[in-house]
Amino acid sequence: DAGVTQSPTHLIKTRGQQVTLRCSPKSGHDTVSWYQQALGQGPQFIFQYYEEEERQRGNFPDRFSGHQFPNYSSELNVNALLLGDSALYLCASSRGRSSYNSPLHFGNGTRLTVT
Amino acid sequence: QKEVEQNSGPLSVPEGAIASLNCTYSDRGSQSFFWYRQYSGKSPELIMSIYSNGDKEDGRFTAQLNKASQYVSLLIRDSQPSDSATYLCAVQYNFNKFYFGSGTKLNVKP
C-alpha cells in the first residue's frame, strides 16, 4: 500500500525564483493538504485540495498556489521566493471531506532552502 | 485563529518511566484529536487518535480527552530511548482542516 510520496526531497533556490513541489496521496485518499513547517514549529496549514479545487486556505499570501490533478496528485507552487520561505513542506492526504474521523497521513516532506 | 497549545519542553524522563504530554485547545467545536510523533528531520507519523471523552489505549500509548476542559494528553508507559522525538498535538476543527501545536520535545534517557 503506497503511502504519500513527495518530490523532490531537497531543493535549494535563490530569492525571487519560483518552485514547484509535487505530491501523490496515499492509495484510497482523495484530499490533499499542504503544510509549511519552520524549524521548531508545528505544521502551518497552507491549503487543501479536493475534487481539483482549492477548498480551504490558511493565512498564506497569493504567492502560494496549487493544483490538484484528476488522479488526486497535487502540486504546490511558490513564486517570488523569500528567505522566510525556507522550511519543510509537508503534503498530507486524507479520505473525503465530510468525515471527522479521517486523520492526515504525511509524506516525507520537501526541504526547501532559499538563499 | 484556532489555538493549540503545548509545552515545548524538552521533557526528560528516564528509560522505563511514564512520559506525560499535554495539549490544550481553544475551540469547543473541535471534534477529533490526534497525536503525531516527529523524529528530527522527518515527517509527522500518526500514533493515536481520540474522538470521545475518556481514555483510549494502544500498546504503551494512552490518549486522554476531556472536552469540557478542552484538554488532550498522551501517556507513554515504559518509555524507551526510541521514543525520543517531538510529539505534535493536532485538533480537527473543520472537515479536514487541522491545527497543530508547536510540539513537545521528549528525551528518554537510558
Side-chain angles (χ1 to χ4, degrees), chain B residues 25 31-33 50-56 63-68 70-73:
Chain B
Y25 59 95
Q31 294 289 329
S32 302
F33 308 86
I50 187 165
Y51 309 115
S52 55
N53 282 328
D55 294 1
K56 179 182 178 183
Q64 299 174 318
L65 174 61
N66 184 326
K67 289 188 177 181
Q70 296 174 242
Y71 178 88
V72 191
S73 66

Side-chain angles (χ1 to χ4, degrees), chain A residues 87-108:
Chain A
L88 179 66
Y89 288 84
L90 295 163
C91 172
S93 71
S94 54
R95 185 171 48 233
R97 291 187 68 244
S98 59
S99 170
Y100 274 116
N101 299 340
S102 179
L104 296 175
H105 293 259
F106 285 91
N108 289 329

Side-chain angles (χ1 to χ4, degrees), chain A residues 11-13 19 78 81 85-89 110-114:
Chain A
L11 266 180
I12 300 175
K13 291 286 188 178
V19 68
V78 187
L81 285 167
D85 295 332
S86 295
L88 179 66
Y89 288 84
T110 295
R111 173 71 64 185
L112 174 64
T113 302
V114 182

Side-chain angles (χ1 to χ4, degrees), chain A residues 1-112:
Chain A
D1 180 17
V4 181
T5 58
Q6 290 187 245
S7 63
T9 305
H10 295 87
L11 266 180
I12 300 175
K13 291 286 188 178
T14 304
R15 276 179 299 175
Q17 287 188 317
Q18 179 263 345
V19 68
T20 297
L21 311 182
R22 295 176 174 83
C23 171
S24 292
K26 180 181 170 68
S27 178
H29 287 184
D30 55 8
T31 303
V32 173
S33 302
W34 287 92
Y35 287 81
Q36 180 194 66
Q37 187 176 25
L39 202 60
Q41 300 296 316
Q44 299 294 312
F45 176 71
I46 302 175
F47 43 53
Q48 176 195 84
Y49 277 84
Y50 174 74
E51 290 186 338
E52 301 179 50
E53 290 190 18
E54 182 182 298
R55 300 293 181 168
Q56 300 189 74
R57 188 177 184 92
N59 188 26
F60 279 80
D62 292 345
R63 299 187 297 108
F64 290 77
S65 63
H67 189 78
Q68 185 179 36
F69 300 93
N71 66 353
Y72 309 122
S73 67
S74 177
E75 288 182 349
L76 164 66
N77 301 292
V78 187
N79 294 322
L81 285 167
L82 304 174
L83 294 179
D85 295 332
S86 295
L88 179 66
Y89 288 84
L90 295 163
C91 172
S93 71
S94 54
R95 185 171 48 233
R97 291 187 68 244
S98 59
S99 170
Y100 274 116
N101 299 340
S102 179
L104 296 175
H105 293 259
F106 285 91
N108 289 329
T110 295
R111 173 71 64 185
L112 174 64

